[in-house]
Amino acid sequence: MSDILHTLEVQLPLPEVDRSYPIIIGRALLSDGAFWQSLIAGRGVILVTDDQVGPLYASTLKESLGGVSQLTEVVLSAGEARKDMASLETILDAALKDRHERGSLFVALGGGVVGDMTGFAASCFLRGADFIQVPTTLLAQVDSSVGGKTGINHAMGKNLIGAFHQPTQVVIDLDTLASLPEREFAAGLAEVIKYGLIRDADFFEWLLAQVGALTARDGDTLAYAIQRSCEIKASVVAEDEREGGVRAHLNFGHTFGHAIERLQGYGEWLHGEAVAAGMVIASQISVLRGTLDASIVEKLIAFNRAVGLPVEAPSSLSASDLLQAMSSDKKVSSGKIRYILLQGLGEAAVTEHVTTDDIVFALSA
Ligand SMILES: NC(=O)c1ccc[n+]([C@@H]2O[C@H](COP(=O)([O-])OP(=O)(O)OC[C@H]3O[C@@H](n4cnc5c(N)ncnc54)[C@H](O)[C@@H]3O)[C@@H](O)[C@H]2O)c1
């Protein structure tokens, strides 16, 4: 028997059709046949996963999908390096060869890489098919599965080819986190604490108090951490689906993080690890500006240490290295780097006015 703990709605502005969708958080959802039959409602399914997640969970989900009219399974090689045009083609080829129609549903079973690629494949299959996100990493559960950003990488940079395409459901089965490697789990926690820093001071303090339970992957603690993270992401996306304004706040720590990832060579540091160090740098600059109390940075550093996340950029990187790498980030607007800083705990703001001296200070603080 599955156990649905919480359902929340991502409300989207209406153009012509209602694109709002539920995020369903629970346990044993993958094995609940009746639950899946009601979601699928007789449609064909293109199930996409990777070769690490597939062997763990695909057979359970396929069993639950049982009597669907048409089931195509695509198993991709795991990893960021395979988030590319060739994998996208593999998904689309399989769907076309099996003669799926636009009414078929894509189901993304895996981390953010599978989710982003499957969503993008759905967005361009026969000019747009529906898809369900079934995120299996903590990062994907609290971040990438919600909000409709989909895409693939290009040799020129990450996520350069993609589309906004919202899922029709996000199904978060907390049981899948049991098999997640330690580093991947910690990387997800970086995005969780980010929500507290940019939007919810109480949540930040709650996370600090729960650090032992979080690292022990206590079920109820994780369920609330994921629920609150999704609520915050959903409210930001509802306010600004296409990142014209407040959605940029979700990039807190990411401007520096992307630069660290790029300079270290992709795959060396996980995305969440680079974001963790980036959030410390951005917080230090906020302290320098007088908008954030230094005690918050100390708390953030203590949290990162306790969960196994970095607390600073690699010492080999200088302020000018970071600045140079940030200048070529795709989020640079009209040649200006946009930084997200804190105006206080739980409140973020965008600025273009960060100097090399500010970054030197933050790196040496
Ligand atoms: N669309 C968005 O808004 C958004 C937001 C943030 C990040 N992203 C994207 O998400 C991607 C990163 O996602 P990720 O961190 O989930 O990485 P990932 O998808 O590469 O997963 C990490 C690794 O964990 C494995 N894995 C996944 N679930 C598992 C489980 N339950 N048990 C054991 N192993 C498991 C995967 O096979 C993979 O090897 C990046 O490509 C990033 O660009 C997108």
Side-chain angles (χ1 to χ4, degrees):
M1 267 300 273
S2 68
D3 182 12
I4 293 181
L5 302 170
H6 196 79
T7 301
L8 60 120
E9 194 74 10
V10 182
Q11 307 278 358
L12 292 168
L14 293 174
E16 60 286 337
V17 282
D18 185 2
R19 297 170 305 126
S20 301
Y21 54 95
I23 304 171
I24 302 158
I25 304 171
R27 299 200 175 95
L29 296 175
L30 291 185
S31 56
D32 186 337
F35 169 78
W36 282 97
Q37 296 305 330
S38 74
L39 285 191
I40 300 299
R43 299 159 79 175
V45 170
I46 303 109
L47 172 63
V48 184
T49 188
D50 71 28
D51 57 10
Q52 290 186 25
V53 177
L56 296 170
Y57 303 111
S59 60
T60 307
L61 182 53
K62 278 192 290 187
E63 207 167 302
S64 298
L65 295 171
V68 295
S69 53
Q70 202 182 359
L71 176 63
T72 300
E73 185 182 6
V74 183
V75 183
L76 303 166
S77 302
E80 188 72 35
R82 303 306 303 273
K83 190 177 163 183
D84 58 7
M85 199 62 89
S87 297
L88 179 71
E89 270 184 35
T90 303
I91 303 171
L92 293 171
D93 283 353
L96 290 168
K97 278 187 186 138
D98 282 356
R99 303 204 171 276
H100 279 276
E101 296 179 355
R102 195 189 286 166
S104 287
L105 264 169
F106 287 76
V107 176
L109 173 68
V113 168
V114 165
D116 279 13
M117 283 198 293
T118 308
F120 187 39
S123 79
C124 41
F125 181 70
L126 303 179
R127 300 202 174 87
D130 288 344
F131 83 114
I132 299 179
Q133 289 272 21
V134 189
T136 60
T137 62
L138 181 57
L139 182 134
Q141 293 180 352
V142 300
D143 189 1
S144 62
S145 66
V146 177
K149 282 190 182 175
T150 71
I152 56 171
N153 300 330
H154 183 273
M156 299 279 291
K158 277 185 69 170
N159 300 324
L160 292 184
I161 302 169
F164 283 96
H165 188 56
Q166 301 288 347
T168 54
Q169 273 94 14
V170 180
V171 177
I172 299 178
D173 189 332
L174 298 168
D175 293 346
T176 58
L177 293 178
S179 55
L180 194 64
E182 207 67 44
R183 263 183 86 187
E184 298 289 350
F185 183 75
L189 286 176
E191 300 288 353
V192 173
I193 193 94
K194 176 192 77 180
Y195 291 117
L197 286 162
I198 63 167
R199 277 259 165 157
D200 187 342
D202 290 344
F203 185 46
F204 177 79
E205 299 291 353
W206 180 85
L207 288 165
L208 290 174
Q210 300 299 324
V211 80
L214 284 169
T215 49
R217 304 193 195 185
D218 171 71
D220 290 343
T221 311
L222 272 179
Y224 179 70
I226 293 168
Q227 175 197 323
R228 187 68 198 121
S229 299
C230 287
E231 281 169 359
I232 294 173
K233 175 124 192 206
S235 75
V236 173
V237 169
E239 227 176 293
D240 174 26
E241 186 183 0
R242 301 242 163 180
E243 202 169 315
V246 292
R247 189 163 179 167
H249 294 177
L250 297 172
N251 295 327
F252 178 65
H254 287 57
T255 312
F256 294 106
H258 285 155
I260 294 170
E261 264 184 293
R262 160 128 33 131
L263 292 166
Q264 288 299 95
Y266 288 114
E268 198 57 39
W269 279 38
L270 297 178
H271 173 72
E273 292 172 337
V275 167
M279 289 193 295
V280 175
I281 298 172
S283 301
Q284 298 280 22
I285 296 174
S286 308
V287 171
L288 181 68
R289 297 293 171 85
T291 57
L292 187 71
D293 197 280
S295 66
I296 303 301
V297 190
E298 282 159 27
K299 287 180 179 178
L300 174 61
I301 289 175
F303 180 87
N304 284 5
R305 286 214 167 98
V307 303
L309 286 168
V311 297
E312 59 192 3
S315 54
S316 56
L317 302 186
S318 67
S320 63
D321 292 334
L322 286 175
L323 263 172
Q324 206 172 358
M326 288 186 293
S327 311
S328 49
D329 193 293
K330 81 172 186 304
K331 295 216 159 75
V332 169
S333 149
S334 330
K336 297 219 165 85
I337 304 171
R338 299 170 80 226
Y339 298 89
I340 318 299
L341 299 180
L342 295 177
Q343 293 293 95
L345 179 58
E347 204 182 322
V350 182
T351 177
E352 289 164 357
H353 307 292
V354 168
T355 63
T356 313
D357 284 350
D358 294 336
I359 301 173
V360 170
F361 166 83
L363 291 182
S364 59

